[in-house]
């Protein structure tokens, strides 16, 4: 079958089962946009290429499948660099296709030419510059294989215009031939045995579960492991949803804004069972003071994570699910009794009772009575939405409040930018999540600063009838920066004020085709969320005017030991 | 990265314990060297020397990198390199288990009265005299990196005008432990 390179590319995407492309055309990618008209693949036309990348990430996060974005060369490619870096940090499977100038023009500073492969080398798991139309089906098959296996990540295919226009003969992709790529799968039995011995001997163990659990589809395995061992669990920002948070064995989220119990449990632990997690600096605080008495079992499919930050006593380069299953099989015959952890569990319960997540429900320091507390908005949103709601967030204070005051019961119900901390992530990622799971309600919680970065994708959502819901926690500040200036720069607020009214978020949202509401008092919170929940044919935006001086507690100051966690002022006098 | 500056410290460069020879077999694809160099750059690893050329199999190239391990644990460097999709095989080659070689080209000032001693040094170290005029001589020496160091030190007093070393290359010794690629 004779066809063009562009047709071969679209046919290859169809062969991979791609159902949606997020993209924006331009000169170099023009040939590929022609066969899209005849394709079964849905194309969502974004308003900025960054939106295409984040939408593909949101889609990937909720479906577990590769998200696909397609943009043109030059500025199209550079605009998608941020989502690539974001996906690299958070191990999100993406395949991004960029147009490129014709092969003969590469290196001549042609119009809209950039060295896309060079620019994106450091922010992709792998990337390709296609040089022959005959290679297309193999390259696409390799790209999807790399993006979705091992430690997932973004793969970019740079596609010169002449290759798109060239004639080729269609052939099914051959078996993937990657001699340098063999991600580990099952753990070594010696490591499993050593880990089982540490687990059986531990008296203050904690399971430190990360995003790798979700990527490995290991939530059921984790649950079995917890049932078998009775070991309490913390789930990281990227691992939320890996363990049901109504379960009493869930201690909360660790890290800079984690719960006191989760943070302190790790500090006091004699064993950390680290599963699909990477000892991020936001979790460890000062590394040499992190969990100082704990032995460490570290399971990760990326061998380079084992010992990168903390030297494990038992390293296990393996798929999380395979490793947990192997651990369960090794531990089951031992019949670990619950009483061995009784004292530890009692200690944890006491902390949980003394240091719950809390906030000033009436009027905190500097708060105007009757102002809306962001934590209250989150609590109400959780209460008033279906349990399986997908929550998406941007980056900053609102993200941490969302992480603190939402409860996730299911995997893939939380979408955020963890490692890169990409402001503006929420709106396009929510759009992608809703495309991936149209059956679920999708709420984005966004900050006013974040919203202004990518709000134009609500035009996309309106045009494409993607009914996402956005709660802007509008405190008129770049709130997290302001919080740091409050705590560490003597309240010298430099360049963080944004104004609550400029822009007018309600009128802006309406101009973008959304239904929009404003909430200025606590009494309006519930009825407005209910009104928003009823809208199912277009996006909805609520401008929540929140207490602008609210801080995120607890907090471990950057570079400090987790032992120096700063709790909410109302708890600061309590004995630890 | 200055070989000369390192050598004047009196320390022989090839014997420094923080240097390790990393041997890679890579797919012979465009951009592979940029991937390796980029990885070293963004992870803060240091390359002391690097040599790369195709192997007997046109699909693969062999890369010999002397890494400076003060910047990061060797295992982390190996693990990160191994993640590059085009890196097919990677191993550390211990000096006792490997044949190492390097090539040196050197131009040295040669005053009339120094010339006999200089030529004797060239002959003594097994180097080859490539060219000579009234002001300078150029010599070539191939072999063990330590022998190159020693030759370099021997002629340094006459005044080194220019010097180029290729960086070390290495192959595992026959019968040495480890999985040959």
């Amino acid at each position: 079958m004779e066809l063009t390179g562009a047709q071969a590319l679209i046919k290859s995407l169809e062969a991979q089962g791609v159902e949606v492309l997020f993209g924006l055309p331009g000169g170099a990618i023009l040939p590929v946009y022609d066969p899209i008209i005849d394709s079964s693949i849905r194309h969502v036309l974004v308003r900025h290429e960054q939106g295409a990348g984040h939408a593909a990430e949101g889609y990937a996060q909720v479906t577990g499948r590769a998200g696909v974005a397609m943009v043109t060369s030059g500025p199209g490619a550079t605009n998608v660099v941020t989502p690539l870096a974001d996906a690299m940090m958070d191990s999100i499977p993406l395949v991004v296709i960029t147009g490129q100038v014709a092969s003969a023009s590469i290196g001549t500073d042609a119009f809209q030419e950039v060295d896309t492969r060079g620019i994106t080398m450091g922010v992709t798991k792998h990337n390709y510059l296609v040089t022959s139309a005959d290679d297309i089906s193999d390259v696409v098959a390799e790209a999807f294989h790399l993006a979705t296996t091992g430690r997932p990540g973004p793969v970019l295919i740079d596609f010169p215009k002449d290759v798109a226009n060239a004639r080729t003969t269609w052939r099914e992709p051959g078996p993937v031939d990657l001699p340098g790529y063999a991600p580990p799968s099952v753990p070594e039995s010696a490591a499993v045995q050593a880990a089982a011995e540490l687990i059986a001997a531990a008296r203050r163990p904690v399971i430190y579960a990360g995003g790798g659990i979700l990527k490995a589809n290991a939530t059921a395995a984790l649950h079995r492991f917890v049932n078998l061992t009775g070991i309490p669990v913390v789930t990281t920002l990227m691992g939320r949803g890996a363990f049901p948070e109504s379960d009493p064995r869930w201690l909360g989220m660790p890290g800079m804004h984690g719960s006191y119990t989760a943070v302190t449990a790790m500090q006091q632990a004699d064993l950390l069972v680290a599963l699909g997690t990477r000892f991020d600096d936001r979790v460890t605080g000062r590394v040499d003071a992190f969990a100082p008495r704990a032995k460490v079992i570290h399971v990760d499919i990326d061998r380079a994570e084992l010992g990168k930050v903390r030297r494990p006593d038992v390293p296990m380069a393996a798929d999380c699910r395979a490793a947990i299953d192997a651990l369960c099989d090794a531990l089951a015959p031992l019949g670990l009794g619950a009483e061995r952890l009784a004292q530890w569990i009692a200690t944890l319960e006491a902390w949980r009772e003394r240091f719950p997540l809390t906030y000033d429900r009436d009027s905190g320091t500097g708060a105007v009575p009757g102002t809306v507390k962001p934590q209250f908005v989150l609590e109400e949103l959780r209460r008033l939405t279906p349990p399986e709601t997908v929550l998406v967030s941007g980056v900053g204070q609102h993200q941490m409040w969302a992480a603190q005051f939402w409860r996730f019961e299911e995997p893939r119900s939380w979408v955020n930018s963890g490692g890169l901390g990409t402001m503006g992530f929420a709106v396009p990622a929510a759009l992608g999540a809703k495309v991936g799971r149209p059956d679920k309600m999708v709420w984005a919680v966004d900050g006013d600063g974040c919203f202004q970065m990518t709000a134009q994708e609500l035009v996309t959502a309106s045009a494409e009838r993607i009914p996402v819901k956005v709660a802007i926690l509008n405190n008129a500040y770049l709130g997290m920066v302001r919080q740091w200036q409050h705590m560490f720069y003597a309240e010298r607020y430099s360049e963080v004020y944004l104004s609550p009214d400029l822009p007018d978020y309600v009128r802006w949202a309406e101009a973008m085709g959304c239904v929009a509401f404003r909430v200025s008092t606590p009494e309006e919170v519930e009825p407005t969320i209910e009104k928003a929940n009823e809208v199912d044919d277009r996006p909805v935006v609520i401008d929540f005017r929140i207490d602008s001086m609210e801080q995120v507690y607890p907090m471990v100051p950057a570079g400090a030991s987790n032992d120096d966690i700063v709790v909410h002022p109302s708890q600061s006098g309590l004995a630890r | 990265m200055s070989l000369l500056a390192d050598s004047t410290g009196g320390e022989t460069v090839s014997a420094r314990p923080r240097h390790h020879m990393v041997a890679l077999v890579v797919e012979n694809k465009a951009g592979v060297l940029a991937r390796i160099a980029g990885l070293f750059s963004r992870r803060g690893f240091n390359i002391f020397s690097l040599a790369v050329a195709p192997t007997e199999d046109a699909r693969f190239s062999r890369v010999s990198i002397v890494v400076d391990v003060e910047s990061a644990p060797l295992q982390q460097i190996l693990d990160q390199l191994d993640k590059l999709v085009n890196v097919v095989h990677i191993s550390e080659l211990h000096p006792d288990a490997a044949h190492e070689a390097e090539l040196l080209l050197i131009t040295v000032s040669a005053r009339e009265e120094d010339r006999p001693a200089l030529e004797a040094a060239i002959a003594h170290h097994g180097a080859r005299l490539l060219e000579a005029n009234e002001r300078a001589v150029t010599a070539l020496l191939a072999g063990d990196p330590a022998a190159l160091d020693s030759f370099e030190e021997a002629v340094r007093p006459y005044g080194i005008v220019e010097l180029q070393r290729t960086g070390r290359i290495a192959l595992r010794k026959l019968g040495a432990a480890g999985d040959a690629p």
Side-chain angles (χ1 to χ4, degrees):
Chain A
M1 179 176 137
E2 178 99 342
L3 73 182
T4 66
Q7 289 167 333
L9 177 62
I10 295 300
K11 197 170 162 59
S12 297
L13 295 177
E14 289 169 349
Q16 291 295 327
V18 174
E19 53 183 25
V20 61
L21 276 173
F22 301 94
L24 196 147
I29 197 73
L30 258 171
V32 186
Y33 268 79
D34 187 74
I36 284 177
I37 293 175
D38 307 316
S39 173
S40 61
I41 299 174
R42 176 183 183 187
H43 183 276
V44 174
L45 176 62
V46 297
R47 266 48 177 180
H48 186 288
E49 291 91 345
Q50 184 187 358
H54 291 323
E57 289 187 86
Y59 175 89
Q61 288 279 65
V62 298
T63 62
R65 305 169 58 202
V68 187
M70 187 154 74
V71 301
T72 197
S73 65
T78 55
N79 280 343
V80 88
V81 169
T82 299
L84 287 171
D86 193 274
M88 188 70 176
M89 280 288 226
D90 288 347
S91 308
I92 297 170
L94 287 193
V95 173
V96 174
I97 294 150
T98 49
Q100 181 56 280
V101 301
S103 305
S105 300
I106 289 177
T108 67
D109 305 312
F111 178 65
Q112 293 193 329
E113 182 192 358
V114 293
D115 174 17
T116 303
R117 188 175 54 173
I119 288 170
T120 60
M121 256 178 205
V123 293
T124 52
K125 183 171 173 182
H126 194 57
N127 60 12
Y128 293 89
L129 174 61
V130 183
T131 53
S132 162
D134 300 338
D135 297 342
I136 290 167
S137 59
D138 282 342
V139 166
V140 170
E142 282 181 20
F144 277 84
H145 180 70
L146 287 169
T148 54
T149 59
R151 181 177 181 171
V155 179
L156 179 136
I157 302 172
D158 201 23
F159 200 57
K161 194 170 184 177
D162 58 311
V163 177
N165 286 327
R167 305 296 298 180
T168 182
T169 307
W170 172 256
R171 58 182 178 81
E172 297 297 326
V176 170
D177 177 27
L178 295 165
Y181 181 73
S185 52
V186 293
E188 292 169 13
S189 56
V192 173
Q193 207 46 50
E197 283 166 20
L198 287 184
I199 290 166
R203 292 297 172 265
R204 297 190 312 280
V206 174
I207 294 166
Y208 162 28
I213 299 280
L214 300 169
K215 267 101 187 174
N217 293 316
T219 49
L222 175 63
H223 211 256
R224 178 178 162 221
F225 182 63
V226 174
N227 285 340
L228 191 65
T229 61
I231 303 177
V233 183
V234 303
T235 45
T236 68
L237 185 66
M238 291 308 298
R240 298 293 294 279
F243 192 76
E245 301 182 354
S246 53
D247 190 305
R249 294 163 297 189
W250 184 69
L251 301 178
M253 181 178 79
M256 183 173 268
H257 295 293
S259 72
Y260 178 88
T261 305
V263 171
T264 309
M266 293 173 95
Q267 288 304 96
Q268 302 288 326
D270 65 356
L271 176 68
L272 293 183
V273 184
L275 304 172
T277 191
R278 61 185 178 87
F279 293 77
D280 180 76
D281 57 276
R282 262 21 188 192
V283 168
T284 62
R286 213 178 79 214
V287 174
D288 60 10
F290 173 66
R293 288 171 291 281
K295 290 198 184 304
V296 172
I297 298 164
H298 191 177
V299 178
D300 204 288
I301 200 160
D302 179 358
R303 199 180 299 276
E305 291 300 339
L306 308 175
K308 185 184 79 177
V309 175
R310 168 81 172 243
R311 183 185 296 274
D313 297 274
V314 179
M316 295 169 81
D319 173 77
C320 255
R321 189 169 52 176
I324 296 170
D325 285 344
L327 284 172
C328 287
D329 293 347
L331 287 163
L334 302 184
L336 300 174
E339 70 284 353
R340 79 192 200 288
L341 302 181
Q343 201 178 341
W344 176 230
I345 302 293
T347 304
L348 299 172
E349 290 297 342
W351 289 338
R352 183 145 56 185
E353 205 159 301
R354 203 173 316 154
F355 297 103
L357 286 169
T358 188
Y359 63 95
D360 297 314
R361 276 160 215 278
D362 301 322
S363 54
T365 318
V368 181
T371 53
V372 182
K373 291 288 183 178
Q375 300 93 334
F376 176 69
V377 174
L378 264 313
E379 286 177 335
E380 288 294 274
L381 200 56
R382 173 71 291 195
R383 185 172 70 80
L384 298 167
T385 53
E388 68 277 10
T389 299
V390 172
L391 189 69
V392 184
S393 97
V395 167
Q397 285 185 313
H398 68 277
Q399 175 191 27
M400 291 297 109
W401 287 318
Q404 290 179 336
F405 288 90
W406 200 269
R407 288 292 167 265
F408 299 96
E409 298 297 318
E410 291 184 13
R412 305 193 179 282
S413 57
W414 166 236
V415 179
N416 86 136
S417 166
L420 194 66
T422 308
M423 285 180 66
F425 178 81
V427 168
L431 179 160
K434 184 66 180 173
V435 170
R437 291 304 302 263
D439 54 320
K440 290 191 174 189
M441 188 179 279
V442 175
W443 269 96
V445 173
D446 216 2
D448 45 321
C450 278
F451 185 81
Q452 291 190 55
M453 290 191 175
T454 51
Q456 79 283 346
E457 298 311 338
L458 285 172
V459 179
T460 309
S462 292
E464 299 269 349
R465 299 277 168 197
I466 303 166
V468 295
K469 305 181 195 305
V470 182
I472 305 173
L473 301 184
N474 178 1
N475 64 358
Y477 275 101
L478 297 167
M480 188 58 91
V481 184
R482 196 219 58 231
Q483 175 164 343
W484 283 53
Q485 290 175 344
H486 176 88
M487 296 173 96
F488 310 120
Y489 290 85
E491 298 181 48
R492 286 160 55 85
Y493 298 130
S494 177
E495 303 297 330
V496 286
Y497 181 68
L498 295 177
S499 161
D501 304 306
L502 181 67
D504 180 328
Y505 293 97
V506 168
R507 288 170 61 200
W508 188 13
E510 285 171 349
M512 293 189 286
C514 307
V515 177
F517 305 103
R518 178 166 291 130
V519 169
S520 307
T521 67
E523 294 70 34
E524 295 169 301
V525 171
E526 176 177 344
T528 311
I529 291 172
E530 284 182 336
K531 271 191 276 180
N533 282 345
E534 282 159 21
V535 179
D536 201 33
D537 60 344
R538 69 195 73 190
V540 192
V541 173
I542 306 178
D543 172 20
F544 288 99
R545 300 297 180 90
I546 63 161
D547 180 351
S548 65
M549 296 311 282
E550 191 63 25
Q551 318 277 22
V552 183
Y553 289 110
M555 179 174 187
V556 179
S561 160
N562 283 351
D563 290 331
D564 300 327
I565 184 169
V566 178
V567 294
H568 189 268
S570 67
Q571 300 170 336
S572 60
L574 300 177
R576 300 249 171 131
Chain B
M1 189 172 82
S2 165
L3 288 159
L4 293 175
D6 277 351
S7 301
T8 45
E11 210 177 1
T12 51
V13 286
S14 53
R16 296 160 86 194
R18 70 182 205 193
H19 285 170
H20 292 263
M21 167 63 77
V22 175
L24 290 83
V25 176
V26 302
E27 286 185 278
N28 219 345
K29 293 196 170 168
V32 172
L33 197 56
R35 291 182 201 280
I36 294 169
L39 174 66
F40 272 79
S41 168
R42 78 173 183 278
R43 296 251 176 217
F45 305 155
N46 288 330
I47 295 177
F48 182 77
S49 73
L50 183 149
V52 51
T55 63
E56 72 289 351
D57 183 336
R59 289 174 302 160
F60 302 111
S61 282
R62 194 177 285 277
V63 184
S64 297
I65 309 178
V66 177
V67 299
D68 183 339
V69 169
E70 197 172 48
S71 56
L74 180 66
Q75 193 59 46
Q76 177 66 197
I77 297 175
L78 296 177
D79 287 343
Q80 294 292 357
L81 280 170
D82 202 22
K83 278 162 67 176
L84 294 176
V85 171
N86 296 137
V87 171
V88 176
H89 188 274
I90 183 164
S91 58
E92 190 210 354
L93 291 183
H94 191 270
D96 297 339
H99 298 291
E100 294 192 335
E102 196 176 355
L103 187 62
L104 163 88
L105 280 169
I106 193 164
T107 297
V108 185
S109 297
R111 293 178 302 178
E112 197 59 43
E113 62 270 32
D114 291 338
R115 191 162 302 243
L118 190 51
E119 286 180 7
I122 289 169
H124 173 73
H125 285 87
R128 185 146 61 92
L129 184 63
L130 296 181
E131 191 188 4
N133 67 14
E134 61 280 5
R135 285 169 285 115
V137 298
T138 298
L140 173 152
L141 177 59
D144 182 68
L148 269 58
D149 293 341
S150 137
F151 176 56
E152 193 183 317
E153 290 312 307
V155 300
R156 179 178 306 284
Y158 304 103
I160 296 172
V161 180
E162 276 190 312
L163 175 149
Q164 166 78 66
R165 292 173 69 151
T166 56
R168 273 190 276 169
I169 58 172
L171 285 181
R172 189 179 301 284
K173 281 181 181 167
L174 299 176
D179 49 335

